[in-house]
Amino acid sequence: MDEELIDIYDSEMNLLGVATKNQAHQEGLWHKAAHCWIISEDGNIWLQLRGSEKQLYPNLLDVSCAGHIQVGETAKQGCLRELEEELGLTLKENTLNKMFTHTLVFDDPYHNREFCPTYLHKTQRKLSDLKLCPEEVDGVFEADIQDLLDLFFEDVKTISTKGIKRLPNGYKIEDRKVSINDFCPHGNKYYQKVFTTIQRFIDNQ
């Protein structure tokens, strides 16, 4: 049984107490999970390929890095911990730029009520620098920001991505043509908001 402890909130984000992650999902208790989108120097977004053994959305592309915020952690502290655990990246808080807080609600295959503080990190690192967590991540792929905007505003059906796929004894470079169906079903509006916000960030650089 997963005994990871997380802070529990009401629907207005007022702190109520503590519960296990399992209890929160069994009872539909509000909690927090950090999202971090990573953009490379040349304007490519990193997309995490979720592990094949994940209970929820295995083998689909997702946020660059995401995870539950543990009891007593700030959102940024939880985000930094997840970045190190999932991708092997050690970063500082001032490299995370807050975009917005998203609410994620669903009831299948379990009850989920999450506040998701969502951050952007611009990196000078390459995919070859990553150390992927075997239990969580099967790969990371890069996609051009404009291609992602075109995809989720439904101007195109597919886009090209390139990345690394984890193997038992290392990684291989892989090209993938992907559609909206290859992404976690957070909803087109979520992806539109994320990529539009990132494009504004790029334009203001």
Side-chain angles (χ1 to χ4, degrees), residues 5-7 32-34 67-71 73-75 78-79 81 117:
L5 292 176
I6 57 177
D7 290 320
K32 290 184 179 180
H68 288 81
I69 299 170
Q70 294 179 352
V71 63
E73 284 185 325
T74 66
C79 190
R81 176 181 48 76

Side-chain angles (χ1 to χ4, degrees), residues 46-198:
W46 289 7
L47 305 166
Q48 180 179 135
L49 178 65
R50 294 173 64 85
S52 59
E53 301 301 319
K54 297 283 286 185
Q55 178 185 7
L56 191 67
Y57 310 136
N59 301 313
L60 291 183
L61 296 171
D62 200 359
V63 184
S64 311
C65 181
H68 288 81
I69 299 170
Q70 294 179 352
V71 63
E73 284 185 325
T74 66
K76 279 192 173 182
Q77 286 170 344
C79 190
L80 293 174
R81 176 181 48 76
E82 290 290 344
L83 284 161
E84 187 161 8
E85 290 176 0
E86 292 189 354
L87 304 181
L89 292 176
T90 302
L91 305 178
K92 295 182 178 180
E93 285 194 18
N94 62 6
T95 66
L96 301 179
N97 299 283
K98 178 74 178 287
M99 294 198 289
F100 52 79
T101 296
H102 171 65
T103 55
L104 180 61
V105 178
F106 57 81
D107 290 295
D108 184 31
Y110 50 77
H111 303 297
N112 197 55
R113 303 286 184 276
E114 283 181 352
F115 298 111
C116 302
T118 302
Y119 298 95
L120 175 64
H121 170 71
K122 186 174 182 179
T123 186
Q124 296 179 334
R125 304 193 190 182
K126 307 298 182 184
L127 295 184
S128 56
D129 296 325
L130 299 179
K131 296 180 181 178
L132 306 184
C133 174
E135 293 78 27
E136 300 280 343
V137 186
D138 275 1
V140 177
F141 288 79
E142 289 187 317
D144 179 79
I145 180 63
Q146 187 58 55
D147 286 349
L148 288 165
L149 285 165
D150 290 343
L151 181 65
F152 282 97
F153 278 98
E154 301 186 66
D155 294 323
V156 298
K157 297 292 186 184
T158 63
I159 62 172
S160 296
T161 68
K162 185 173 185 175
I164 55 171
K165 179 75 164 55
R166 188 174 54 78
L167 300 173
N169 58 348
Y171 301 99
K172 70 172 182 176
I173 297 173
E174 185 172 293
D175 295 320
R176 287 193 177 198
K177 194 77 102 171
V178 300
S179 70
I180 286 176
N181 293 333
D182 294 304
F183 287 76
C184 288
H186 297 311
N188 279 20
K189 289 185 177 180
Y190 170 74
Y191 288 109
Q192 289 170 5
K193 185 175 182 179
V194 166
F195 300 135
T196 299
T197 304
I198 294 175

